[in-house]
Amino acid sequence: MGAVASHVIGKNARKSRECILDAAASLFSQNGYKGTTLRDIAKLTNMKAGSLYYHFSSKEELVLEILTIGLSNIIDTVVHDIDALPEGASAKDILVTAARGHLFALLEKPDYTSTSIRNYGQLPEDVQKRGRLVRDKYENMWRKWLQQAQDDGHIRSSVNLKVLRLTMLGSLNRTQAWYKKGDLSIDDIAKSQIDIYWCGIGNE
Amino acid sequence: MGAVASHVIGKNARKSRECILDAAASLFSQNGYKGTTLRDIAKLTNMKAGSLYYHFSSKEELVLEILTIGLSNIIDTVVHDIDALPEGASAKDILVTAARGHLFALLEKPDYTSTSIRNYGQLPEDVQKRGRLVRDKYENMWRKWLQQAQDDGHIRSSVNLKVLRLTMLGSLNRTQAWYKKGDLSIDDIAKSQIDIYWCGIGNE
DNA sequence: GTCTATAAGGCGATAGAC
DNA sequence: GTCTATCGCCTTATAGAC
């Protein structure tokens, strides 16, 4: 009986794990997956490269976890914001909320998300594959919201929803490439982008 | 007198050079700068790695040339299209022409341009620096066109031109990530995107 | 949990034969 | 012009001391 779990993850382990993830996410987003070595990550964590293997079984597993966190972070934020809308929220409200939520999640914790956006091509094949499943789920949510908004008459019927979805998500995601703290606020950017998409830039 | 240039670049050399550039651009755009080895490039060119050094002095020089070709290609296309506009073309005509030209150049020779868009972060520092000079020149052209269009009353005065420029170029450039030949035509995508930006998606 | 030491292999680049 | 061969370095990952 006296048997007790021989290896419970200690508190230090959990802390180190998070520290490694943060450091890795930052470096991956800056220098790419292949451009970041385990030694770089270890150095930023004040560890030695070999020690990382106590927490992660490979570089691949490490980047996969970062990828998953980044995508989940966006999805959770957006879904939470939409759930918080009052009962009778219109399809337009949902869309605007989704765009704002996406942008906030993207720009407030940029390291995790930009790892997935910028490095897709150079990630190992099966990391790409597993990431794609989560991303598809998220894109389907947008498909639904846009369709609903068009069905409800909030979006002009002549707008091609596929191009719209890819164009909107494209420019939202690209914001990360030019956003600088202290310049335009996230809120201002969100407002301007939504205004551009909703009203157009034309004057006639 | 009888002296003749002892080393003129032969026709085979020029052909090999182009072949190497094409192969490298394709691989860089797919697997990133660091994710592509000289051995990969050589294999796709039916050469051996060492032979590349007859044509390029380093991997860095090779990617810099691809970067320059890609950016010049976009700029040349856009400038040429705008020059071809009739005398009295409006600021709006210029803008629409620029967007179309950008998209065509981007999607018709994607390997060279996506090398510069996708791999910026992992490129060697001074390659980034030299590329930035060309890119800034191009962004300034857009700044001018947008300002002119707003001054002429073609763009609503409340539109933030900085956000607009970065958002538009962002979604145009991102198109490369989802464009597939045989699906939507470049022309359809251009039309839809311009319509979305110009008229907005809203219905009221 | 983290260290040191090191294995096994891939990388960019060079030298010299052909 | 392209080849073969190889140098020196850096990479991921492992083994065993502490």
Side-chain angles (χ1 to χ4, degrees):
Chain A
M1 302 293 198
V4 163
S6 64
H7 182 66
V8 177
I9 294 171
K11 287 183 183 172
N12 290 342
R14 185 151 293 160
K15 205 163 199 169
S16 291
R17 230 185 116 86
E18 271 177 45
C19 186
I20 292 168
L21 283 167
D22 283 346
S26 167
L27 290 168
F28 285 149
S29 84
Q30 248 183 16
N31 309 319
Y33 176 70
K34 300 258 190 177
T36 303
T37 69
L38 295 177
R39 282 169 167 81
D40 295 336
I41 299 171
K43 187 178 245 174
L44 200 61
T45 329
N46 291 317
M47 283 185 161
K48 302 297 169 182
S51 313
L52 302 178
Y53 284 85
Y54 178 81
H55 303 278
F56 299 93
S57 68
S58 69
K59 189 185 179 187
E60 226 168 286
E61 201 207 284
L62 177 54
V63 77
L64 179 61
E65 183 150 338
I66 290 173
L67 207 102
T68 309
I69 293 176
L71 280 168
S72 304
N73 190 29
I74 294 186
I75 296 180
D76 291 350
T77 303
V78 170
V79 166
H80 172 271
D81 288 356
I82 287 179
D83 281 350
L85 285 173
E87 253 332 274
S90 71
K92 177 179 171 178
D93 293 334
I94 290 179
L95 214 52
V96 169
T97 304
R100 290 182 61 87
H102 186 100
L103 207 56
F104 269 87
L106 199 70
L107 299 182
E108 273 183 343
K109 240 199 170 193
D111 291 343
Y112 285 82
T113 40
S114 77
T115 294
S116 77
I117 292 172
R118 286 201 209 160
N119 295 285
Y120 233 77
Q122 52 184 312
L123 295 175
E125 187 106 5
D126 58 290
V127 173
Q128 284 189 37
K129 210 167 165 184
R130 293 210 251 170
R132 197 148 36 218
L133 291 175
V134 190
R135 203 196 52 187
D136 284 350
K137 180 182 125 191
Y138 182 59
E139 294 228 346
N140 277 330
M141 296 166 80
W142 275 85
R143 241 184 282 261
K144 198 188 68 188
W145 295 326
L146 287 169
Q147 187 64 62
Q148 190 65 54
Q150 195 172 47
D151 290 347
D152 290 359
H154 287 113
I155 293 178
R156 287 186 291 122
S157 60
S158 62
V159 171
N160 180 324
L161 288 191
K162 181 179 179 181
V163 175
L164 175 60
R165 172 173 50 86
L166 294 164
T167 301
M168 275 190 75
L169 285 173
S171 57
L172 286 174
N173 286 338
R174 259 272 144 180
T175 306
Q176 220 171 36
W178 55 267
Y179 172 71
K180 293 261 186 292
K181 282 195 176 169
D183 195 5
L184 286 161
S185 75
I186 298 181
D187 205 60
D188 285 341
I189 295 173
K191 273 197 189 109
S192 288
Q193 285 194 329
I194 289 167
D195 174 63
I196 288 169
Y197 275 108
W198 210 267
C199 307
I201 63 176
N203 218 353
E204 48 263 26
Chain B
M1 308 280 190
V4 164
S6 63
H7 182 67
V8 178
I9 294 172
K11 288 183 182 172
N12 289 342
R14 187 152 288 159
K15 204 163 201 171
S16 291
R17 228 185 117 86
E18 273 178 41
C19 186
I20 292 167
L21 284 167
D22 283 347
S26 167
L27 291 168
F28 285 149
S29 83
Q30 248 183 14
N31 310 319
Y33 177 69
K34 300 256 191 179
T36 302
T37 69
L38 294 177
R39 286 168 170 81
D40 294 336
I41 298 171
K43 188 179 244 177
L44 200 61
T45 329
N46 291 318
M47 282 185 162
K48 303 296 169 184
S51 312
L52 302 179
Y53 283 85
Y54 178 81
H55 303 277
F56 299 93
S57 67
S58 69
K59 190 185 178 184
E60 224 168 286
E61 200 206 285
L62 177 53
V63 78
L64 179 62
E65 183 150 341
I66 290 173
L67 208 102
T68 309
I69 293 176
L71 280 169
S72 305
N73 191 28
I74 293 186
I75 296 180
D76 291 350
T77 303
V78 170
V79 167
H80 172 270
D81 288 357
I82 287 178
D83 281 350
L85 284 173
E87 252 334 274
S90 70
K92 177 179 171 178
D93 292 334
I94 290 179
L95 214 52
V96 169
T97 304
R100 291 182 60 89
H102 186 100
L103 207 56
F104 268 88
L106 200 70
L107 300 183
E108 273 183 344
K109 239 199 172 195
D111 291 343
Y112 286 82
T113 39
S114 77
T115 294
S116 75
I117 293 172
R118 287 201 205 159
N119 296 286
Y120 233 76
Q122 51 185 309
L123 294 176
E125 188 105 5
D126 57 288
V127 174
Q128 283 189 38
K129 209 167 166 184
R130 292 210 252 169
R132 198 149 35 220
L133 291 175
V134 190
R135 204 197 50 188
D136 284 350
K137 181 183 125 193
Y138 183 58
E139 294 228 349
N140 277 331
M141 296 167 80
W142 275 85
R143 241 184 282 260
K144 198 188 67 188
W145 295 326
L146 288 168
Q147 187 64 60
Q148 190 63 54
Q150 195 173 47
D151 289 348
D152 290 359
H154 288 113
I155 293 178
R156 288 185 291 123
S157 60
S158 63
V159 171
N160 181 321
L161 288 191
K162 181 179 179 182
V163 175
L164 175 61
R165 173 173 50 85
L166 294 164
T167 302
M168 275 189 74
L169 285 174
S171 57
L172 286 175
N173 287 337
R174 258 273 145 182
T175 306
Q176 217 171 37
W178 55 266
Y179 173 70
K180 292 261 186 291
K181 282 196 174 168
D183 195 5
L184 286 161
S185 75
I186 299 181
D187 204 61
D188 286 340
I189 295 173
K191 274 198 188 108
S192 288
Q193 285 194 328
I194 289 167
D195 174 63
I196 288 169
Y197 275 107
W198 211 268
C199 306
I201 62 176
N203 218 350
E204 51 260 24

PDB file of all heavy atoms in Angstrom, chain A residues 97-119:
ATOM      1  N   THR A  97     -17.235  42.049 -33.198  1.00  0.00           N
ATOM      2  CA  THR A  97     -16.629  41.518 -31.974  1.00  0.00           C
ATOM      3  C   THR A  97     -15.523  40.516 -32.289  1.00  0.00           C
ATOM      4  O   THR A  97     -14.463  40.508 -31.658  1.00  0.00           O
ATOM      5  CB  THR A  97     -17.709  40.831 -31.114  1.00  0.00           C
ATOM      6  OG1 THR A  97     -18.762  41.769 -30.860  1.00  0.00           O
ATOM      7  CG2 THR A  97     -17.126  40.343 -29.798  1.00  0.00           C
ATOM      8  N   ALA A  98     -15.772  39.686 -33.281  1.00  0.00           N
ATOM      9  CA  ALA A  98     -14.774  38.685 -33.665  1.00  0.00           C
ATOM     10  C   ALA A  98     -13.498  39.351 -34.174  1.00  0.00           C
ATOM     11  O   ALA A  98     -12.383  38.972 -33.807  1.00  0.00           O
ATOM     12  CB  ALA A  98     -15.341  37.759 -34.736  1.00  0.00           C
ATOM     13  N   ALA A  99     -13.674  40.372 -35.004  1.00  0.00           N
ATOM     14  CA  ALA A  99     -12.509  41.062 -35.556  1.00  0.00           C
ATOM     15  C   ALA A  99     -11.692  41.736 -34.444  1.00  0.00           C
ATOM     16  O   ALA A  99     -10.464  41.634 -34.409  1.00  0.00           O
ATOM     17  CB  ALA A  99     -12.955  42.104 -36.588  1.00  0.00           C
ATOM     18  N   ARG A 100     -12.396  42.389 -33.526  1.00  0.00           N
ATOM     19  CA  ARG A 100     -11.698  43.037 -32.408  1.00  0.00           C
ATOM     20  C   ARG A 100     -10.979  42.013 -31.542  1.00  0.00           C
ATOM     21  O   ARG A 100      -9.819  42.208 -31.164  1.00  0.00           O
ATOM     22  CB  ARG A 100     -12.687  43.811 -31.538  1.00  0.00           C
ATOM     23  CG  ARG A 100     -13.268  45.047 -32.178  1.00  0.00           C
ATOM     24  CD  ARG A 100     -14.192  45.755 -31.181  1.00  0.00           C
ATOM     25  NE  ARG A 100     -13.473  46.163 -30.003  1.00  0.00           N
ATOM     26  CZ  ARG A 100     -12.838  47.321 -29.915  1.00  0.00           C
ATOM     27  NH1 ARG A 100     -12.866  48.149 -30.924  1.00  0.00           N
ATOM     28  NH2 ARG A 100     -12.200  47.646 -28.815  1.00  0.00           N
ATOM     29  N   GLY A 101     -11.665  40.951 -31.203  1.00  0.00           N
ATOM     30  CA  GLY A 101     -11.082  39.915 -30.344  1.00  0.00           C
ATOM     31  C   GLY A 101      -9.852  39.295 -30.987  1.00  0.00           C
ATOM     32  O   GLY A 101      -8.824  39.099 -30.344  1.00  0.00           O
ATOM     33  N   HIS A 102      -9.973  39.022 -32.268  1.00  0.00           N
ATOM     34  CA  HIS A 102      -8.856  38.431 -33.006  1.00  0.00           C
ATOM     35  C   HIS A 102      -7.632  39.348 -32.933  1.00  0.00           C
ATOM     36  O   HIS A 102      -6.526  38.905 -32.624  1.00  0.00           O
ATOM     37  CB  HIS A 102      -9.270  38.212 -34.462  1.00  0.00           C
ATOM     38  CG  HIS A 102      -8.255  37.483 -35.284  1.00  0.00           C
ATOM     39  ND1 HIS A 102      -8.362  36.141 -35.569  1.00  0.00           N
ATOM     40  CD2 HIS A 102      -7.105  37.894 -35.863  1.00  0.00           C
ATOM     41  CE1 HIS A 102      -7.320  35.770 -36.315  1.00  0.00           C
ATOM     42  NE2 HIS A 102      -6.547  36.829 -36.507  1.00  0.00           N
ATOM     43  N   LEU A 103      -7.870  40.609 -33.187  1.00  0.00           N
ATOM     44  CA  LEU A 103      -6.780  41.580 -33.201  1.00  0.00           C
ATOM     45  C   LEU A 103      -6.138  41.721 -31.814  1.00  0.00           C
ATOM     46  O   LEU A 103      -4.909  41.777 -31.684  1.00  0.00           O
ATOM     47  CB  LEU A 103      -7.315  42.935 -33.676  1.00  0.00           C
ATOM     48  CG  LEU A 103      -6.321  43.862 -34.350  1.00  0.00           C
ATOM     49  CD1 LEU A 103      -5.672  43.192 -35.535  1.00  0.00           C
ATOM     50  CD2 LEU A 103      -7.014  45.139 -34.794  1.00  0.00           C
ATOM     51  N   PHE A 104      -6.972  41.769 -30.780  1.00  0.00           N
ATOM     52  CA  PHE A 104      -6.427  41.906 -29.427  1.00  0.00           C
ATOM     53  C   PHE A 104      -5.581  40.700 -29.032  1.00  0.00           C
ATOM     54  O   PHE A 104      -4.461  40.842 -28.535  1.00  0.00           O
ATOM     55  CB  PHE A 104      -7.561  42.124 -28.406  1.00  0.00           C
ATOM     56  CG  PHE A 104      -7.872  43.565 -28.178  1.00  0.00           C
ATOM     57  CD1 PHE A 104      -8.782  44.240 -28.985  1.00  0.00           C
ATOM     58  CD2 PHE A 104      -7.236  44.272 -27.158  1.00  0.00           C
ATOM     59  CE1 PHE A 104      -9.053  45.585 -28.801  1.00  0.00           C
ATOM     60  CE2 PHE A 104      -7.510  45.617 -26.958  1.00  0.00           C
ATOM     61  CZ  PHE A 104      -8.423  46.279 -27.778  1.00  0.00           C
ATOM     62  N   ALA A 105      -6.127  39.516 -29.267  1.00  0.00           N
ATOM     63  CA  ALA A 105      -5.378  38.301 -28.912  1.00  0.00           C
ATOM     64  C   ALA A 105      -4.061  38.258 -29.671  1.00  0.00           C
ATOM     65  O   ALA A 105      -3.019  37.879 -29.144  1.00  0.00           O
ATOM     66  CB  ALA A 105      -6.214  37.064 -29.219  1.00  0.00           C
ATOM     67  N   LEU A 106      -4.116  38.693 -30.913  1.00  0.00           N
ATOM     68  CA  LEU A 106      -2.954  38.639 -31.799  1.00  0.00           C
ATOM     69  C   LEU A 106      -1.850  39.582 -31.341  1.00  0.00           C
ATOM     70  O   LEU A 106      -0.666  39.252 -31.370  1.00  0.00           O
ATOM     71  CB  LEU A 106      -3.412  39.051 -33.195  1.00  0.00           C
ATOM     72  CG  LEU A 106      -2.562  38.687 -34.387  1.00  0.00           C
ATOM     73  CD1 LEU A 106      -2.613  37.207 -34.622  1.00  0.00           C
ATOM     74  CD2 LEU A 106      -3.066  39.420 -35.629  1.00  0.00           C
ATOM     75  N   LEU A 107      -2.257  40.786 -30.929  1.00  0.00           N
ATOM     76  CA  LEU A 107      -1.260  41.816 -30.642  1.00  0.00           C
ATOM     77  C   LEU A 107      -0.826  41.866 -29.184  1.00  0.00           C
ATOM     78  O   LEU A 107       0.217  42.430 -28.863  1.00  0.00           O
ATOM     79  CB  LEU A 107      -1.800  43.191 -31.066  1.00  0.00           C
ATOM     80  CG  LEU A 107      -2.136  43.337 -32.551  1.00  0.00           C
ATOM     81  CD1 LEU A 107      -2.601  44.746 -32.856  1.00  0.00           C
ATOM     82  CD2 LEU A 107      -0.943  42.965 -33.416  1.00  0.00           C
ATOM     83  N   GLU A 108      -1.631  41.263 -28.300  1.00  0.00           N
ATOM     84  CA  GLU A 108      -1.272  41.324 -26.884  1.00  0.00           C
ATOM     85  C   GLU A 108      -0.368  40.181 -26.463  1.00  0.00           C
ATOM     86  O   GLU A 108       0.389  40.289 -25.511  1.00  0.00           O
ATOM     87  CB  GLU A 108      -2.536  41.357 -26.018  1.00  0.00           C
ATOM     88  CG  GLU A 108      -3.047  42.766 -25.823  1.00  0.00           C
ATOM     89  CD  GLU A 108      -4.255  42.816 -24.916  1.00  0.00           C
ATOM     90  OE1 GLU A 108      -4.880  41.759 -24.695  1.00  0.00           O
ATOM     91  OE2 GLU A 108      -4.583  43.923 -24.433  1.00  0.00           O
ATOM     92  N   LYS A 109      -0.445  39.046 -27.118  1.00  0.00           N
ATOM     93  CA  LYS A 109       0.485  37.943 -26.851  1.00  0.00           C
ATOM     94  C   LYS A 109       1.056  37.499 -28.186  1.00  0.00           C
ATOM     95  O   LYS A 109       0.761  36.417 -28.687  1.00  0.00           O
ATOM     96  CB  LYS A 109      -0.247  36.790 -26.136  1.00  0.00           C
ATOM     97  CG  LYS A 109       0.333  36.451 -24.767  1.00  0.00           C
ATOM     98  CD  LYS A 109      -0.078  35.052 -24.314  1.00  0.00           C
ATOM     99  CE  LYS A 109       0.721  34.647 -23.072  1.00  0.00           C
ATOM    100  NZ  LYS A 109       0.596  33.220 -22.758  1.00  0.00           N
ATOM    101  N   PRO A 110       1.878  38.347 -28.780  1.00  0.00           N
ATOM    102  CA  PRO A 110       2.244  38.152 -30.182  1.00  0.00           C
ATOM    103  C   PRO A 110       3.193  36.982 -30.437  1.00  0.00           C
ATOM    104  O   PRO A 110       3.140  36.373 -31.489  1.00  0.00           O
ATOM    105  CB  PRO A 110       2.917  39.474 -30.548  1.00  0.00           C
ATOM    106  CG  PRO A 110       3.419  40.029 -29.271  1.00  0.00           C
ATOM    107  CD  PRO A 110       2.550  39.508 -28.180  1.00  0.00           C
ATOM    108  N   ASP A 111       4.021  36.670 -29.463  1.00  0.00           N
ATOM    109  CA  ASP A 111       5.039  35.660 -29.716  1.00  0.00           C
ATOM    110  C   ASP A 111       4.452  34.303 -30.085  1.00  0.00           C
ATOM    111  O   ASP A 111       4.887  33.662 -31.038  1.00  0.00           O
ATOM    112  CB  ASP A 111       5.949  35.503 -28.499  1.00  0.00           C
ATOM    113  CG  ASP A 111       6.818  36.730 -28.296  1.00  0.00           C
ATOM    114  OD1 ASP A 111       6.938  37.512 -29.252  1.00  0.00           O
ATOM    115  OD2 ASP A 111       7.359  36.899 -27.194  1.00  0.00           O
ATOM    116  N   TYR A 112       3.459  33.866 -29.301  1.00  0.00           N
ATOM    117  CA  TYR A 112       2.893  32.542 -29.543  1.00  0.00           C
ATOM    118  C   TYR A 112       2.169  32.470 -30.882  1.00  0.00           C
ATOM    119  O   TYR A 112       2.282  31.506 -31.620  1.00  0.00           O
ATOM    120  CB  TYR A 112       1.956  32.147 -28.399  1.00  0.00           C
ATOM    121  CG  TYR A 112       2.703  31.759 -27.140  1.00  0.00           C
ATOM    122  CD1 TYR A 112       3.168  32.711 -26.254  1.00  0.00           C
ATOM    123  CD2 TYR A 112       2.952  30.419 -26.857  1.00  0.00           C
ATOM    124  CE1 TYR A 112       3.869  32.354 -25.102  1.00  0.00           C
ATOM    125  CE2 TYR A 112       3.649  30.045 -25.716  1.00  0.00           C
ATOM    126  CZ  TYR A 112       4.106  31.025 -24.846  1.00  0.00           C
ATOM    127  OH  TYR A 112       4.800  30.668 -23.726  1.00  0.00           O
ATOM    128  N   THR A 113       1.384  33.524 -31.165  1.00  0.00           N
ATOM    129  CA  THR A 113       0.591  33.477 -32.389  1.00  0.00           C
ATOM    130  C   THR A 113       1.433  33.673 -33.638  1.00  0.00           C
ATOM    131  O   THR A 113       1.189  33.052 -34.662  1.00  0.00           O
ATOM    132  CB  THR A 113      -0.522  34.541 -32.365  1.00  0.00           C
ATOM    133  OG1 THR A 113      -0.007  35.730 -31.795  1.00  0.00           O
ATOM    134  CG2 THR A 113      -1.687  34.061 -31.542  1.00  0.00           C
ATOM    135  N   SER A 114       2.442  34.537 -33.551  1.00  0.00           N
ATOM    136  CA  SER A 114       3.203  34.782 -34.776  1.00  0.00           C
ATOM    137  C   SER A 114       4.085  33.593 -35.131  1.00  0.00           C
ATOM    138  O   SER A 114       4.480  33.420 -36.277  1.00  0.00           O
ATOM    139  CB  SER A 114       4.030  36.051 -34.658  1.00  0.00           C
ATOM    140  OG  SER A 114       5.166  35.839 -33.891  1.00  0.00           O
ATOM    141  N   THR A 115       4.375  32.768 -34.133  1.00  0.00           N
ATOM    142  CA  THR A 115       5.099  31.541 -34.442  1.00  0.00           C
ATOM    143  C   THR A 115       4.297  30.720 -35.439  1.00  0.00           C
ATOM    144  O   THR A 115       4.839  30.195 -36.407  1.00  0.00           O
ATOM    145  CB  THR A 115       5.334  30.713 -33.157  1.00  0.00           C
ATOM    146  OG1 THR A 115       6.204  31.432 -32.302  1.00  0.00           O
ATOM    147  CG2 THR A 115       5.978  29.364 -33.495  1.00  0.00           C
ATOM    148  N   SER A 116       2.989  30.661 -35.222  1.00  0.00           N
ATOM    149  CA  SER A 116       2.167  29.841 -36.110  1.00  0.00           C
ATOM    150  C   SER A 116       1.939  30.522 -37.450  1.00  0.00           C
ATOM    151  O   SER A 116       1.881  29.879 -38.487  1.00  0.00           O
ATOM    152  CB  SER A 116       0.830  29.506 -35.447  1.00  0.00           C
ATOM    153  OG  SER A 116      -0.038  30.608 -35.482  1.00  0.00           O
ATOM    154  N   ILE A 117       1.828  31.850 -37.436  1.00  0.00           N
ATOM    155  CA  ILE A 117       1.539  32.546 -38.682  1.00  0.00           C
ATOM    156  C   ILE A 117       2.757  32.626 -39.593  1.00  0.00           C
ATOM    157  O   ILE A 117       2.688  32.375 -40.776  1.00  0.00           O
ATOM    158  CB  ILE A 117       1.011  33.968 -38.394  1.00  0.00           C
ATOM    159  CG1 ILE A 117      -0.369  33.880 -37.753  1.00  0.00           C
ATOM    160  CG2 ILE A 117       0.925  34.773 -39.687  1.00  0.00           C
ATOM    161  CD1 ILE A 117      -0.897  35.199 -37.264  1.00  0.00           C
ATOM    162  N   ARG A 118       3.890  32.967 -38.992  1.00  0.00           N
ATOM    163  CA  ARG A 118       5.055  33.226 -39.823  1.00  0.00           C
ATOM    164  C   ARG A 118       5.852  31.997 -40.219  1.00  0.00           C
ATOM    165  O   ARG A 118       6.573  32.006 -41.210  1.00  0.00           O
ATOM    166  CB  ARG A 118       6.009  34.169 -39.078  1.00  0.00           C
ATOM    167  CG  ARG A 118       5.491  35.589 -39.063  1.00  0.00           C
ATOM    168  CD  ARG A 118       6.593  36.571 -38.804  1.00  0.00           C
ATOM    169  NE  ARG A 118       6.062  37.752 -38.144  1.00  0.00           N
ATOM    170  CZ  ARG A 118       6.783  38.610 -37.466  1.00  0.00           C
ATOM    171  NH1 ARG A 118       8.069  38.421 -37.327  1.00  0.00           N
ATOM    172  NH2 ARG A 118       6.224  39.664 -36.909  1.00  0.00           N
ATOM    173  N   ASN A 119       5.755  30.944 -39.406  1.00  0.00           N
ATOM    174  CA  ASN A 119       6.707  29.855 -39.614  1.00  0.00           C
ATOM    175  C   ASN A 119       6.120  28.595 -40.223  1.00  0.00           C
ATOM    176  O   ASN A 119       6.799  27.583 -40.318  1.00  0.00           O
ATOM    177  CB  ASN A 119       7.361  29.495 -38.281  1.00  0.00           C
ATOM    178  CG  ASN A 119       8.190  30.629 -37.746  1.00  0.00           C
ATOM    179  OD1 ASN A 119       9.279  30.870 -38.241  1.00  0.00           O
ATOM    180  ND2 ASN A 119       7.677  31.338 -36.762  1.00  0.00           N
TER     181      ASN A 119
END
